[in-house]
mmCIF file of all heavy atoms in Angstrom:
data_model
loop_
_atom_site.group_PDB
_atom_site.id
_atom_site.type_symbol
_atom_site.label_atom_id
_atom_site.label_comp_id
_atom_site.label_asym_id
_atom_site.label_seq_id
_atom_site.Cartn_x
_atom_site.Cartn_y
_atom_site.Cartn_z
ATOM 1 N N TRP A 210 -9.904 -6.324 -0.720
ATOM 2 C CA TRP A 210 -9.662 -7.770 -0.352
ATOM 3 C C TRP A 210 -9.539 -8.602 -1.563
ATOM 4 O O TRP A 210 -8.826 -9.603 -1.521
ATOM 5 C CB TRP A 210 -10.752 -8.277 0.701
ATOM 6 C CG TRP A 210 -10.496 -7.627 2.031
ATOM 7 C CD1 TRP A 210 -11.151 -6.674 2.563
ATOM 8 C CD2 TRP A 210 -9.401 -7.983 2.886
ATOM 9 N NE1 TRP A 210 -10.594 -6.274 3.849
ATOM 10 C CE2 TRP A 210 -9.478 -7.098 4.057
ATOM 11 C CE3 TRP A 210 -8.342 -8.843 2.782
ATOM 12 C CZ2 TRP A 210 -8.580 -7.229 5.043
ATOM 13 C CZ3 TRP A 210 -7.319 -8.947 3.814
ATOM 14 C CH2 TRP A 210 -7.545 -8.074 4.987
ATOM 15 N N TYR A 211 -10.242 -8.174 -2.693
ATOM 16 C CA TYR A 211 -9.953 -8.896 -3.920
ATOM 17 C C TYR A 211 -8.472 -8.797 -4.338
ATOM 18 O O TYR A 211 -7.841 -9.700 -4.740
ATOM 19 C CB TYR A 211 -10.835 -8.440 -5.104
ATOM 20 C CG TYR A 211 -10.276 -8.741 -6.429
ATOM 21 C CD1 TYR A 211 -10.276 -9.960 -6.850
ATOM 22 C CD2 TYR A 211 -9.710 -7.619 -7.070
ATOM 23 C CE1 TYR A 211 -9.686 -10.321 -8.092
ATOM 24 C CE2 TYR A 211 -9.049 -7.949 -8.368
ATOM 25 C CZ TYR A 211 -9.055 -9.257 -8.812
ATOM 26 O OH TYR A 211 -8.442 -9.610 -9.991
ATOM 27 N N LEU A 212 -7.950 -7.531 -4.258
ATOM 28 C CA LEU A 212 -6.604 -7.189 -4.693
ATOM 29 C C LEU A 212 -5.628 -8.112 -3.851
ATOM 30 O O LEU A 212 -4.669 -8.727 -4.200
ATOM 31 C CB LEU A 212 -6.221 -5.880 -4.499
ATOM 32 C CG LEU A 212 -6.855 -4.827 -5.468
ATOM 33 C CD1 LEU A 212 -6.604 -3.371 -5.031
ATOM 34 C CD2 LEU A 212 -6.379 -5.072 -6.957
ATOM 35 N N THR A 213 -5.929 -8.201 -2.453
ATOM 36 C CA THR A 213 -5.064 -8.911 -1.605
ATOM 37 C C THR A 213 -5.080 -10.374 -1.890
ATOM 38 O O THR A 213 -3.976 -11.126 -2.030
ATOM 39 C CB THR A 213 -5.629 -8.722 -0.129
ATOM 40 O OG1 THR A 213 -5.643 -7.286 0.112
ATOM 41 C CG2 THR A 213 -4.562 -9.328 0.960
ATOM 42 N N VAL A 214 -6.311 -10.969 -1.909
ATOM 43 C CA VAL A 214 -6.372 -12.470 -2.179
ATOM 44 C C VAL A 214 -5.893 -12.808 -3.501
ATOM 45 O O VAL A 214 -5.229 -13.827 -3.730
ATOM 46 C CB VAL A 214 -7.910 -12.928 -2.033
ATOM 47 C CG1 VAL A 214 -8.140 -14.391 -2.387
ATOM 48 C CG2 VAL A 214 -8.382 -12.619 -0.386
ATOM 49 N N ALA A 215 -6.284 -12.045 -4.558
ATOM 50 C CA ALA A 215 -5.938 -12.320 -5.923
ATOM 51 C C ALA A 215 -4.353 -12.382 -6.116
ATOM 52 O O ALA A 215 -3.737 -13.190 -6.768
ATOM 53 C CB ALA A 215 -6.477 -11.372 -6.957
ATOM 54 N N ALA A 216 -3.697 -11.405 -5.470
ATOM 55 C CA ALA A 216 -2.267 -11.314 -5.550
ATOM 56 C C ALA A 216 -1.608 -12.498 -4.800
ATOM 57 O O ALA A 216 -0.595 -13.001 -5.267
ATOM 58 C CB ALA A 216 -1.768 -9.962 -4.886
ATOM 59 N N LEU A 217 -2.183 -12.787 -3.665
ATOM 60 C CA LEU A 217 -1.543 -14.016 -2.919
ATOM 61 C C LEU A 217 -1.744 -15.340 -3.648
ATOM 62 O O LEU A 217 -0.898 -16.170 -3.589
ATOM 63 C CB LEU A 217 -2.181 -14.099 -1.569
ATOM 64 C CG LEU A 217 -1.834 -12.898 -0.553
ATOM 65 C CD1 LEU A 217 -2.676 -12.941 0.732
ATOM 66 C CD2 LEU A 217 -0.190 -12.894 -0.322
ATOM 67 N N VAL A 218 -2.975 -15.528 -4.202
ATOM 68 C CA VAL A 218 -3.273 -16.686 -5.037
ATOM 69 C C VAL A 218 -2.504 -16.728 -6.243
ATOM 70 O O VAL A 218 -1.939 -17.801 -6.634
ATOM 71 C CB VAL A 218 -4.829 -16.717 -5.286
ATOM 72 C CG1 VAL A 218 -5.097 -17.834 -6.310
ATOM 73 C CG2 VAL A 218 -5.688 -16.915 -4.173
ATOM 74 N N HIS A 219 -2.213 -15.565 -6.918
ATOM 75 C CA HIS A 219 -1.432 -15.609 -8.147
ATOM 76 C C HIS A 219 0.001 -15.916 -7.817
ATOM 77 O O HIS A 219 0.632 -16.594 -8.568
ATOM 78 C CB HIS A 219 -1.530 -14.159 -8.762
ATOM 79 C CG HIS A 219 -0.700 -13.974 -9.962
ATOM 80 N ND1 HIS A 219 0.590 -13.732 -9.966
ATOM 81 C CD2 HIS A 219 -1.052 -14.019 -11.230
ATOM 82 C CE1 HIS A 219 1.003 -13.668 -11.217
ATOM 83 N NE2 HIS A 219 -0.009 -13.768 -12.056
ATOM 84 N N GLY A 220 0.528 -15.415 -6.600
ATOM 85 C CA GLY A 220 1.911 -15.699 -6.327
ATOM 86 C C GLY A 220 2.848 -14.743 -7.012
ATOM 87 O O GLY A 220 2.441 -13.979 -7.783
ATOM 88 N N GLN A 221 4.092 -14.947 -6.702
ATOM 89 C CA GLN A 221 5.017 -14.070 -7.203
ATOM 90 C C GLN A 221 5.407 -14.399 -8.752
ATOM 91 O O GLN A 221 5.565 -15.537 -9.078
ATOM 92 C CB GLN A 221 6.364 -14.030 -6.401
ATOM 93 C CG GLN A 221 6.241 -13.482 -5.013
ATOM 94 C CD GLN A 221 7.592 -13.353 -4.354
ATOM 95 O OE1 GLN A 221 8.262 -14.350 -4.264
ATOM 96 N NE2 GLN A 221 7.792 -12.159 -3.752
ATOM 97 N N VAL A 222 5.443 -13.329 -9.489
ATOM 98 C CA VAL A 222 5.836 -13.631 -10.948
ATOM 99 C C VAL A 222 7.259 -14.191 -11.016
ATOM 100 O O VAL A 222 7.978 -13.873 -10.163
ATOM 101 C CB VAL A 222 5.607 -12.308 -11.790
ATOM 102 C CG1 VAL A 222 4.150 -11.897 -11.900
ATOM 103 C CG2 VAL A 222 6.526 -11.205 -11.301
ATOM 104 N N ALA A 287 0.445 -6.901 -0.680
ATOM 105 C CA ALA A 287 0.237 -8.164 -1.339
ATOM 106 C C ALA A 287 0.529 -8.075 -2.858
ATOM 107 O O ALA A 287 1.258 -8.855 -3.400
ATOM 108 C CB ALA A 287 -1.110 -8.791 -1.181
ATOM 109 N N VAL A 288 0.031 -6.993 -3.329
ATOM 110 C CA VAL A 288 0.241 -6.720 -4.878
ATOM 111 C C VAL A 288 1.641 -6.463 -5.173
ATOM 112 O O VAL A 288 2.347 -6.909 -6.149
ATOM 113 C CB VAL A 288 -0.705 -5.677 -5.396
ATOM 114 C CG1 VAL A 288 -0.433 -5.291 -6.928
ATOM 115 C CG2 VAL A 288 -2.142 -6.097 -5.299
ATOM 116 N N TRP A 290 4.252 -7.428 -3.355
ATOM 117 C CA TRP A 290 4.941 -8.678 -3.059
ATOM 118 C C TRP A 290 4.910 -9.595 -4.349
ATOM 119 O O TRP A 290 5.842 -10.248 -4.841
ATOM 120 C CB TRP A 290 4.380 -9.404 -1.881
ATOM 121 C CG TRP A 290 4.772 -10.784 -1.724
ATOM 122 C CD1 TRP A 290 5.929 -11.222 -1.228
ATOM 123 C CD2 TRP A 290 4.140 -11.979 -2.192
ATOM 124 N NE1 TRP A 290 6.047 -12.578 -1.166
ATOM 125 C CE2 TRP A 290 4.885 -13.042 -1.769
ATOM 126 C CE3 TRP A 290 2.871 -12.267 -2.771
ATOM 127 C CZ2 TRP A 290 4.555 -14.393 -2.015
ATOM 128 C CZ3 TRP A 290 2.628 -13.546 -3.153
ATOM 129 C CH2 TRP A 290 3.362 -14.701 -2.761
ATOM 130 N N ALA A 291 3.784 -9.633 -4.924
ATOM 131 C CA ALA A 291 3.464 -10.530 -6.228
ATOM 132 C C ALA A 291 4.180 -9.981 -7.387
ATOM 133 O O ALA A 291 4.804 -10.893 -8.144
ATOM 134 C CB ALA A 291 1.998 -10.697 -6.391
ATOM 135 N N PHE A 292 4.073 -8.735 -7.603
ATOM 136 C CA PHE A 292 4.522 -8.174 -8.928
ATOM 137 C C PHE A 292 5.884 -7.319 -8.902
ATOM 138 O O PHE A 292 6.517 -7.057 -9.944
ATOM 139 C CB PHE A 292 3.444 -7.359 -9.680
ATOM 140 C CG PHE A 292 2.308 -8.266 -9.882
ATOM 141 C CD1 PHE A 292 1.160 -8.301 -9.107
ATOM 142 C CD2 PHE A 292 2.250 -9.117 -10.979
ATOM 143 C CE1 PHE A 292 0.037 -9.044 -9.335
ATOM 144 C CE2 PHE A 292 1.128 -9.940 -11.253
ATOM 145 C CZ PHE A 292 0.019 -9.853 -10.472
ATOM 146 N N LEU A 306 -3.304 -7.996 -12.801
ATOM 147 C CA LEU A 306 -4.121 -9.229 -12.256
ATOM 148 C C LEU A 306 -4.745 -9.807 -13.347
ATOM 149 O O LEU A 306 -5.376 -9.275 -14.308
ATOM 150 C CB LEU A 306 -5.063 -8.803 -11.268
ATOM 151 C CG LEU A 306 -4.336 -8.362 -9.963
ATOM 152 C CD1 LEU A 306 -5.210 -7.589 -8.974
ATOM 153 C CD2 LEU A 306 -3.672 -9.649 -9.182
ATOM 154 N N PRO A 307 -4.823 -11.299 -13.406
ATOM 155 C CA PRO A 307 -5.529 -11.969 -14.578
ATOM 156 C C PRO A 307 -6.944 -11.595 -14.589
ATOM 157 O O PRO A 307 -7.611 -11.444 -13.642
ATOM 158 C CB PRO A 307 -5.171 -13.342 -14.174
ATOM 159 C CG PRO A 307 -4.843 -13.460 -12.833
ATOM 160 C CD PRO A 307 -4.294 -12.202 -12.496
ATOM 161 N N PHE A 311 -14.025 -12.320 -10.636
ATOM 162 C CA PHE A 311 -13.969 -11.546 -9.419
ATOM 163 C C PHE A 311 -13.171 -10.153 -9.790
ATOM 164 O O PHE A 311 -13.564 -9.204 -9.238
ATOM 165 C CB PHE A 311 -13.046 -12.326 -8.506
ATOM 166 C CG PHE A 311 -13.598 -13.578 -8.009
ATOM 167 C CD1 PHE A 311 -13.094 -14.776 -8.473
ATOM 168 C CD2 PHE A 311 -14.702 -13.602 -7.153
ATOM 169 C CE1 PHE A 311 -13.711 -16.022 -7.974
ATOM 170 C CE2 PHE A 311 -15.246 -14.742 -6.709
ATOM 171 C CZ PHE A 311 -14.689 -15.954 -7.041
#
Side-chain angles (χ1 to χ4, degrees):
W210 286 106
Y211 157 74
L212 291 172
T213 305
V214 173
L217 294 174
V218 169
H219 181 279
Q221 291 186 312
V222 295
V288 175
W290 169 82
F292 297 100
L306 290 164
F311 298 108

